Amino acid sequence: MPATKYTLFSSANAKQGEKPPCAFFASADGCRNGDKCKFAHVLPGAGDCIPVTRNRSMSSSSVVSTESEGEVHEPKAKKTGENIFAAPGEQVKKSPKAKAPQSQEKKKGKKRKNAEGDGNPFANPKSKSATPSNSQQAKKKQKRSEDPPKPAKGDFAAMAAMATPPPPSLLVQNSAKKSKSKSAKKAKVKQEETTPSYLNLKLPIAPFSLFSGTKVEKDSEPPQSDDDSSDISVPPGPAIPLPNSTATGRKWQKAIIQSREHNNYEGCFDFKKYIEADEECGRAKASDWFKAKPFGPWCASNPQAIAIDCEMCETRDPVTGVSDHKALCRVSIVNAEKPEEVLLDTLVKPEWPVVNYRTWVNGIKKEHLENVQFTLRHAQEFMMALCSDETVIAGHAVHNDLVALRMEHYCNVDSACLFDVKDAPDATISLKDLAMACLKTEMPKTHDSVNDARVALNCLEYYVQRDGKVDPIERTTPPRNRTNANQLFIHRIPRVCQPSHLQSMFLVHTSVQPKEVHDIEFAGDTGKTFVNFPSPRHANLAFDTLEGDEEPDKSGRMQKKVYLRDGNYVRVRKMVMPRENRDRRQST
């Protein structure tokens, strides 16, 4: 608003040395300064001064009496006393002399209308100019449009409310809202960034295939499962995830629970044991292991069930000499909802030098891995983008695949835990025998991980279709070590132990010389083997001479503990079941 000029007056009759009379003293409202006024509070004579009317702009200090001549100069009000004047920028009723030119008023009206957006259904176009002056004008317009309506003239309470800052609680609340909004946006962006689709990962895939046989057909189409999870009883114990969020997951719930009920499940899927063993020998850190994220919208379009199979080789750290007998060298993942869809099939470059490629098992040779850039961390990245904690992972002895991936997961369907062996209820059936019994299909001699994953999946579909009511599987080949009375079975053998150590152990503890100690078969960090004696009498004498109490294992065979120097122990078990236990088992 343009400043208004005033003509100043003073008392004409003020005597020399005396204060001129106060023009406000004679007004209806009187002087607001009281004793502090710089003028005399006496009634002036005629013509002494021109009093100021109530609607005239005035200074609270009563320094001079003024009269408008079209423009007004507004001195700043002092902080002392109540401010009764219009706030800066407030529209006030001007005298006729203070009228602004018509063109300026029209321009102001147009600008104000544009700023307020009255009646205009379209948004204002963005400013094309980047000059500082235009930018400042745009900011002022925006601020003016966001300002609250100005109080009417003379409404001092409203003016005081406008001048009063908001309470601290409101400021904190607004700040908290803004902070919460920003943090939510950041979290959303972070979630999107950290959860890429498994289809969008740019991984250095190294394809590899040995199997070119025909497609394995299912015995018959499994029935489509509705939500039948209501009749499934979850065994007591710690809360372990179950796939409850999708129909595909609920289809496999019963098989998951039945896999967990197998005698060998707890030992095979004891991930804490594997992590501690990795840290103890320096093979890996706990942070090298991972878990899938909780189920949510981020994975709703991903396959909710997969079949997996991995090929492993043996590697060794050249510095520490630590070996990794389950070093990942190939990983294959099949969509369990569409078995013909291969989600991933690639060779994997081991971290340490390979000392045993196990070509006779997996067909992988040294030259196959030379130029491979896909690593274990790439495989973990893919699994993180593909799987949630409710993704069903199917396979045969699938704990071996999870250990090779260093993945802690509990929604597993394991064909090795669901099918019994006809002549050995506690033994683990081979995938070869399982495929022949369920699918009437012969497996190739050399393993192909894509084919193995599909075969295991089809055998599990066979199991689910029959609601678990399947006959024990007959082994097509006898076990490598038949049950003989002249043998003792040793398990829980640590990797530091050699066959020669077992040979000397029997000599020191029993004074009985073994005839032969078989090679130790390691699975994870422990192994097992058989010890042959010249006769059953020698085997029984060696067992009975060992210190310690006898206790039956799950099959009813008697066993003892033999302790090592570090406090650990191995178990030595008889191969012949006592007659009373055998009779009890047969009657049962």
Side-chain angles (χ1 to χ4, degrees):
M1 185 176 77
T4 305
K5 297 181 180 179
Y6 284 84
T7 302
L8 305 182
F9 294 85
S10 61
S11 175
N13 298 331
K15 299 179 182 179
Q16 188 172 5
E18 292 183 3
K19 292 182 180 181
C22 178
F24 297 96
F25 181 73
S27 65
D29 292 338
C31 180
R32 299 173 60 86
N33 292 321
D35 296 336
K36 297 180 180 179
C37 184
K38 299 180 180 180
F39 296 87
H41 284 185
V42 295
L43 293 176
D48 283 348
C49 64
I50 300 175
V52 178
T53 57
R54 291 184 61 182
N55 63 345
R56 189 79 61 200
S57 296
M58 62 187 73
S59 170
S60 61
S61 62
S62 299
V63 175
V64 291
S65 298
T66 62
E67 182 179 4
S68 174
E69 285 188 347
E71 292 184 355
V72 180
H73 172 72
E74 297 180 356
K76 295 182 180 179
K78 291 187 177 180
K79 293 183 181 179
T80 58
E82 184 181 358
N83 184 10
I84 61 171
F85 303 102
E90 180 184 353
Q91 293 183 1
V92 295
K93 188 176 180 181
K94 299 187 181 77
S95 60
K97 294 182 181 180
K99 264 192 178 182
Q102 181 98 7
S103 58
Q104 293 182 6
E105 284 293 330
K106 286 183 178 180
K107 289 179 182 179
K108 282 184 65 179
K110 287 180 181 180
K111 290 180 181 179
R112 189 175 297 111
K113 187 172 182 180
N114 290 337
E116 294 172 355
D118 292 340
N120 185 4
F122 301 100
N124 292 329
K126 294 181 180 179
S127 175
K128 297 181 180 179
S129 175
T131 59
S133 59
N134 289 339
S135 176
Q136 291 174 2
Q137 290 177 5
K139 289 181 180 178
K140 287 181 180 179
K141 288 182 181 180
Q142 183 180 1
K143 185 177 179 182
R144 192 183 304 129
S145 63
E146 294 174 354
D147 286 341
K150 298 181 176 67
K153 181 179 177 181
D155 189 354
F156 302 114
M159 288 190 289
M162 284 186 63
T164 304
S169 60
L170 184 60
L171 292 175
V172 173
Q173 185 178 359
N174 292 339
S175 176
K177 286 182 180 179
K178 291 180 180 178
S179 176
K180 186 176 181 181
S181 176
K182 288 181 179 178
S183 61
K185 289 180 180 178
K186 288 182 180 178
K188 185 177 181 181
V189 172
K190 186 176 181 181
Q191 176 73 8
E192 292 175 353
E193 290 177 353
T194 57
T195 313
S197 170
Y198 72 97
L199 297 172
N200 297 333
L201 297 176
K202 297 180 180 179
L203 301 176
I205 305 297
F208 182 80
S209 179
L210 294 171
F211 183 69
S212 58
T214 58
K215 179 182 175 182
V216 178
E217 298 292 342
K218 299 180 185 178
D219 183 68
S220 62
E221 284 296 324
Q224 295 298 324
S225 174
D226 295 328
D227 188 2
D228 56 352
S229 59
S230 57
D231 60 344
I232 297 177
S233 59
V234 180
I240 301 177
L242 276 174
N244 296 310
S245 301
T246 63
T248 300
R250 290 189 290 271
K251 166 189 170 181
W252 294 99
Q253 268 194 10
K254 191 172 183 179
I256 291 173
I257 294 172
Q258 290 170 337
S259 294
R260 294 174 182 175
E261 291 173 349
H262 193 272
N263 292 335
N264 296 336
Y265 184 91
E266 185 176 351
C268 291
F269 290 87
D270 186 359
F271 295 106
K272 183 178 179 182
K273 174 185 70 177
Y274 297 125
I275 295 173
E276 289 177 351
D278 279 352
E279 286 194 310
E280 184 178 352
C281 70
R283 187 164 45 240
K285 300 177 182 177
S287 58
D288 295 330
W289 285 71
F290 74 99
K291 290 182 181 180
K293 290 171 288 190
F295 178 88
W298 68 271
C299 64
S301 60
N302 290 3
Q304 301 304 317
I306 61 173
I308 188 171
D309 188 69
C310 298
E311 303 295 347
M312 282 79 84
C313 61
E314 183 180 355
T315 62
R316 182 175 298 137
D317 187 342
V319 177
T320 63
V322 175
S323 296
D324 187 355
H325 297 266
K326 292 187 178 181
L328 187 67
C329 60
R330 184 183 178 187
V331 56
S332 301
I333 303 171
V334 173
N335 186 349
E337 302 172 48
K338 300 177 181 178
E340 68 279 2
E341 181 184 359
V342 178
L343 302 174
L344 179 68
D345 179 31
T346 179
L347 294 172
V348 182
K349 184 77 169 182
E351 180 183 3
W352 295 342
V354 180
V355 294
N356 185 359
Y357 287 90
R358 296 175 184 165
T359 306
W360 64 276
V361 175
N362 53 43
I364 300 173
K365 300 179 181 179
K366 179 180 179 181
E367 55 267 25
H368 293 144
L369 296 177
E370 282 182 352
N371 299 320
V372 174
Q373 297 181 357
F374 193 99
T375 65
L376 172 62
R377 297 301 281 179
H378 288 123
Q380 291 178 334
E381 181 185 7
F382 183 87
M383 294 297 286
M384 281 287 290
L386 174 68
C387 299
S388 73
D389 61 347
E390 294 190 18
T391 300
V392 178
I393 298 183
H396 187 79
V398 74
H399 68 280
N400 291 318
D401 306 305
L402 295 174
V403 170
L405 287 166
R406 296 200 173 99
M407 179 179 183
E408 184 176 350
H409 195 76
Y410 295 97
C411 289
N412 308 309
V413 185
D414 197 333
S415 56
C417 296
L418 294 178
F419 293 88
D420 293 332
V421 180
K422 189 173 184 179
D423 56 344
D426 294 320
T428 300
I429 191 68
S430 68
L431 186 60
K432 177 182 177 181
D433 292 339
L434 199 58
M436 179 57 67
C438 298
L439 309 175
K440 310 304 180 187
T441 302
E442 290 188 5
M443 296 287 290
K445 291 183 179 180
T446 304
H447 291 200
D448 181 89
S449 49
V450 173
N451 182 62
D452 290 359
R454 282 181 175 146
V455 170
L457 175 63
N458 292 336
C459 291
L460 288 167
E461 291 278 12
Y462 176 94
Y463 180 92
V464 171
Q465 179 187 353
R466 289 158 179 76
D467 196 26
K469 297 178 176 64
V470 294
D471 296 328
I473 306 300
E474 184 175 356
R475 287 188 280 200
T476 57
T477 55
R480 184 169 52 184
N481 296 301
R482 285 179 173 267
T483 300
N484 293 316
N486 64 333
Q487 284 184 333
L488 292 178
F489 175 65
I490 306 178
H491 59 109
R492 283 184 53 89
I493 304 171
R495 286 194 174 275
V496 296
C497 187
Q498 303 293 330
S500 59
H501 297 146
L502 299 177
Q503 184 95 8
S504 62
M505 182 270 289
F506 279 103
L507 282 174
V508 172
H509 286 76
T510 68
S511 299
V512 178
Q513 175 73 42
K515 182 179 179 180
E516 179 187 8
V517 178
H518 293 245
D519 291 338
I520 302 172
E521 297 180 8
F522 287 101
D525 295 305
T526 58
K528 58 185 178 181
T529 191
F530 293 86
V531 180
N532 291 350
F533 291 89
S535 67
R537 182 183 175 186
H538 287 87
N540 290 333
L541 179 61
F543 182 84
D544 294 338
T545 309
L546 288 173
E547 294 182 358
D549 298 331
E550 296 183 17
E551 55 183 359
D553 69 352
K554 293 177 182 178
S555 66
R557 296 175 176 85
M558 305 308 293
Q559 60 182 356
K560 289 182 177 181
K561 293 180 181 179
V562 178
Y563 285 91
L564 306 176
R565 291 178 179 177
D566 60 0
N568 206 342
Y569 63 88
V570 299
R571 286 191 181 272
V572 180
R573 190 192 73 187
K574 283 186 174 183
M575 296 302 296
V576 179
M577 188 182 300
R579 182 180 297 274
E580 58 273 17
N581 292 358
R582 185 166 59 249
D583 294 342
R584 189 183 305 112
R585 187 183 181 105
Q586 290 175 352
S587 62
T588 304

